[in-house]
Amino acid sequence: MLFRQLEYFVALARERHFARAAAACYVSQPALSEAIRKLEHELKVPLVRRGQKFEGLTPEGERLVLWARRILADRDALKQEVTALQTGLTGELRIGVIPAAASTVALLSDPFSAAHPLVRVQLETSLRTAEIAERVRRFELDAGIIYPDRDDTADLTVTPLYEEQQVLIAGSELLTGQTDTISWSDVTELPMCLLAEGMRGRRLIDDALASRDLALVPRLETDSFVALLAHVTTGRWATIVPQTWVRAVTLPGTVTLRLLDPDLSAQVALVTSAAEPGSVVARALLEVAQRVDFGATPAP
């Protein structure tokens, strides 16, 4: 069994298409197919269901791909460990980030890069918690910044980072007479733009409204915090976003208010694989995270 065969097999399981998997591995499709056939012959089990095209993995293939990902991750970790002992930490750190934390990830990635200048950092900032957790388990990401949930974080190491506070932001002319806070009933009277249904930040808002027997139909929905804030700066919209976004960007002509009864908060955490010894770059990131003071989110 060769590492190359496992790499090809993992690529096929990810891409679910022979040609795309071959392209991802920079080999011809016949070469990839032959390597996987040799792997099947060596293990004496079929791994791939084949027809006119890729039709999925066999039950044996589904089990093997879990082992293959772990074996390849351990190989990479071993290489990183040895290199780190000789020349310092090198390689790539892959972090998945929920959109809400895109404004705070620099507090972690910047000091990490300063401490380990030979490591390339790759951030993906449009992922949801469940996807990030699953990709960390599959060793496709070294770490993730998520809203921790027991259903999503089983078998992962969870390191709390900070408590996120949600606030309302609106054009100042929309909030004439308002001071530092706003009630949920007043929120429903505003022209709102919100995150799309199903996103964690939106669920927090919907749950808060439901607890007050209120409902809100936003005039605009998006999966982008940047798009929300861009609309608010026109002066004709209001939105609800994490307070960290207010600190990260300049929003001329807007007012920020704290939401009352209930206020909205959620924990944000760093997750890494619980496998030992694990990725050396992930361990280095954890060490940096333990030193970073994200600070409590102040009330506006």
Side-chain angles (χ1 to χ4, degrees):
M1 184 184 304
L2 302 175
F3 285 127
R4 183 180 67 254
Q5 292 171 310
L6 297 180
E7 290 171 350
Y8 294 173
F9 181 58
V10 168
L12 180 61
R14 181 183 65 247
E15 300 294 338
R16 307 191 70 79
H17 189 278
F18 279 98
R20 289 199 300 268
C25 295
Y26 303 101
V27 297
S28 67
Q29 183 174 332
L32 180 136
S33 298
E34 181 61 21
I36 293 176
R37 288 188 187 278
K38 287 182 178 179
L39 183 61
E40 291 175 314
H41 178 74
E42 181 177 349
L43 296 174
K44 297 181 173 59
V45 293
L47 302 175
V48 180
R49 291 190 285 111
R50 297 174 176 85
Q52 295 297 320
K53 57 183 180 179
F54 176 82
E55 295 181 354
L57 302 181
T58 64
E60 295 87 350
E62 294 286 358
R63 293 295 301 170
L64 177 66
V65 76
L66 300 177
W67 282 103
R69 290 183 182 125
R70 175 60 193 271
I71 291 168
L72 294 173
D74 284 346
R75 176 205 60 181
D76 293 342
L78 174 61
K79 289 181 177 179
Q80 290 174 344
E81 195 90 46
V82 172
T83 302
L85 292 172
Q86 296 174 328
T87 62
L89 201 57
T90 62
E92 184 176 71
L93 173 67
R94 304 158 299 174
I95 309 175
V97 184
I98 54 173
S103 63
T104 56
V105 65
L107 296 176
L108 185 58
S109 57
D110 177 66
F112 175 89
S113 295
H116 306 287
L118 299 180
V119 178
R120 301 182 307 277
V121 178
Q122 178 181 337
L123 300 176
E124 294 187 52
T125 60
S126 60
L127 306 177
R128 300 193 182 186
T129 287
E131 181 182 1
I132 292 172
E134 183 57 28
R135 289 182 62 184
V136 171
R137 288 192 192 93
R138 296 200 305 255
F139 306 101
E140 295 174 2
L141 293 171
D142 299 296
I145 299 179
I146 67 170
Y147 294 121
D149 182 279
R150 277 180 292 182
D151 292 337
D152 292 321
T153 57
D155 303 322
L156 298 177
T157 298
V158 180
T159 303
L161 297 179
Y162 61 91
E163 192 78 12
E164 171 191 274
Q165 188 76 35
Q166 302 270 336
V167 294
L168 181 131
I169 309 174
S172 55
E173 293 186 5
L174 293 176
L175 296 174
T176 303
Q178 296 285 355
T179 54
D180 296 329
T181 62
I182 189 170
S183 70
W184 284 96
S185 58
D186 287 339
V187 170
T188 62
E189 301 298 319
L190 294 170
M192 297 295 296
C193 53
L194 296 176
L195 292 175
E197 287 188 356
M199 297 183 71
R200 174 65 177 269
R202 174 62 181 277
R203 293 203 305 271
L204 288 172
I205 296 167
D206 290 343
D207 290 347
L209 288 163
S211 72
R212 306 295 293 169
D213 293 323
L214 297 170
L216 171 64
V217 179
R219 292 172 55 189
L220 183 147
E221 294 178 300
T222 177
D223 62 354
S224 166
F225 282 97
V226 173
L228 291 177
L229 297 177
H231 279 80
V232 169
T233 55
T234 67
R236 295 187 292 274
W237 298 84
T239 191
I240 297 172
V241 298
Q243 170 73 9
T244 50
W245 277 92
V246 182
R247 296 189 296 178
V249 299
T250 301
L251 300 170
T254 67
V255 175
T256 301
L257 301 179
R258 184 162 54 91
L259 296 152
L260 284 181
D261 192 23
D263 63 359
L264 295 186
S265 62
Q267 187 181 84
V268 176
L270 178 71
V271 292
T272 54
S273 173
E276 294 292 346
S279 162
V280 64
V281 291
R283 294 205 309 271
L285 182 67
L286 278 172
E287 292 173 1
V288 172
Q290 290 163 1
R291 297 195 299 268
V292 172
D293 180 11
F294 286 87
T297 303

